[in-house]
Amino acid sequence: MTTPSPGAVPVFRRRPDPADSVIWELSERWVRGTKGDVTVVDSRRPVLVWEPGRPVPLYGFPADDVRTDLLRKTERGATRRHAGATVFYDLEAGDQTVPAAAWTYPGEELAGYICFEWFGRDVLDHWYEEDEEIFVHPRDPHKRVDALPSTRHVQVEIQGTVVADTHTPVLLFETHLPVRYYIPREDVRLDLFTPTDARTRCPYKGVATEYWSWAGGGDVRPDIAWSYPDPLPAVSVIKDRVAFYNESVDIIVDGEPQRRPATVFSIPTR
C-alpha cells in the first residue's frame, strides 16, 4: 500500500457518484489515535471522509502515518457498511485484538489511505486533534456550534410545572439541531429531579457527566436534563449550566411558547 504524493488529493469536496462513492477533503489538523499506551495513528495530513447516507465525517490516514504492523488483513467485514469497502483489517495492539477495526476504500482516489471505525465501538481508546481530545466522531468543519450569552427570558415547564426560569441563559446554536438553552443552576428547580448515572460525549461540547430525571412521575423521558462540568474551550460558557431536551419539555422564550422540535433525540409517543 503506497501513500499518494503531495497534492494528489484536492482540497475541494467532491459529489458522491455513484451511490457507493465518498466525498472527502484535506485536513490540516494533527490527528493521533491511541490504544492503551500504543500510538496507532499519528498524522499531520489526514483527509476527512463523508460516506453516503452518513452525515458525520471519518478520518482517513496515509498508510505511512499508521502502525500498519499492528494490522492484520481479515476476511470478515465491519458491522457497518463502508461505501463499497471490501478490504478490512483486525487491529492487534498489546494483548488486544479488535476485529475489522480498519479498512481501505476501493478505487484510486483514496488509494493508500486507511480509515478506522469510530461509531459505537471501542476501537481506539483516545483520539486527539492537535492536543485536544475529541469524542464520538471528528468535528465537521462545515458545522458551527456557537454558545452565546443572552438576556432572553426563558422558562421551562414539565407537566405544567415551571422547573426553570431565567433571564441569563446561554443559547447554544448547533447546525441542524434546535437551539439549546443552558440555564444557571440557581435558576433551575433541581429539587424536582433525581440525579442519574448517565454520561454522554459530544465532539463539539465534551463530556456531559451530570444528568437528571424528572421525579414527578408520568410519561416523561428519563435523563431529561444534563450539564457539562468541564466543557471544551470553544463552549466554556456553558460550564455547569443545565439544559433540557426541547423535544420533551415546554419552553417559553420572551413569553412565546416554542414548538417542540422533531429530531433524532425525539422519543416516539406511545
Side-chain angles (χ1 to χ4, degrees):
M1 186 179 296
T2 59
T3 302
S5 60
V9 181
V11 173
F12 54 84
R13 295 176 68 175
R14 303 174 61 90
R15 293 185 177 276
D17 184 25
D20 276 346
S21 296
V22 298
I23 55 176
W24 34 257
E25 67 184 42
L26 287 174
S27 173
E28 295 184 336
R29 301 187 182 198
W30 175 26
V31 179
R32 288 163 291 155
T34 63
K35 185 68 173 177
D37 59 358
V38 178
T39 298
V40 179
V41 175
D42 188 336
S43 181
R44 290 170 170 81
R45 47 182 182 163
V47 293
L48 282 164
V49 178
W50 287 262
E51 296 184 326
R54 194 164 296 165
V56 297
L58 291 161
Y59 271 122
F61 306 99
D64 287 349
D65 297 342
V66 176
R67 286 284 304 275
T68 54
D69 59 303
L70 303 178
L71 300 181
R72 303 287 181 267
K73 193 171 180 179
T74 179
E75 296 298 325
R76 52 190 168 186
T79 54
R80 288 176 177 264
R81 182 172 175 268
H82 288 291
T86 57
V87 179
F88 293 88
Y89 299 88
D90 293 343
L91 171 67
E92 297 181 359
D95 59 353
Q96 300 183 68
T97 298
V98 184
W103 67 92
T104 57
Y105 293 110
E108 297 181 0
E109 291 184 335
L110 290 175
Y113 282 80
I114 298 174
C115 284
F116 284 82
E117 188 66 79
W118 285 59
F119 308 107
R121 294 177 57 199
D122 295 325
V123 176
L124 298 190
D125 298 330
H126 301 282
W127 286 99
Y128 300 90
E129 291 178 342
E130 301 300 329
D131 288 330
E132 184 171 286
E133 187 170 7
I134 56 175
F135 309 99
V136 186
H137 60 78
R139 287 176 281 208
D140 190 330
H142 304 281
K143 178 173 181 174
R144 288 188 63 92
V145 178
D146 297 308
L148 306 178
S150 177
T151 54
R152 295 197 192 198
H153 183 200
V154 177
Q155 296 170 292
V156 180
E157 294 184 358
I158 298 178
Q159 296 179 334
T161 298
V162 176
V163 299
D165 190 328
T166 187
H167 288 272
T168 57
V170 168
L171 275 58
L172 189 134
F173 300 89
E174 183 170 351
T175 305
H176 303 312
L177 286 176
V179 179
R180 300 298 190 195
Y181 300 90
Y182 281 80
I183 298 171
R185 289 188 183 223
E186 59 268 25
D187 293 338
V188 180
R189 289 284 310 277
L190 287 177
D191 59 301
L192 301 176
F193 297 85
T194 302
T196 77
D197 295 328
R199 176 186 176 97
T200 59
R201 302 188 298 175
C202 171
Y204 304 99
K205 297 183 287 292
V207 183
T209 57
E210 293 182 297
Y211 270 85
W212 296 268
S213 288
W214 171 243
D219 189 17
V220 177
R221 71 178 299 156
D223 302 319
I224 200 167
W226 68 89
S227 182
Y228 288 88
D230 188 24
L232 294 175
V235 293
S236 60
V237 71
I238 70 171
K239 177 179 172 64
D240 291 330
R241 289 171 174 262
V242 179
F244 295 83
Y245 280 110
N246 309 41
E247 298 85 345
S248 301
V249 300
D250 296 312
I251 295 181
I252 302 95
V253 180
D254 293 332
E256 294 289 334
Q258 306 298 295
R259 179 175 296 181
R260 291 189 183 184
T263 75
V264 295
F265 298 104
S266 299
I267 292 182
T269 56
R270 298 175 185 173

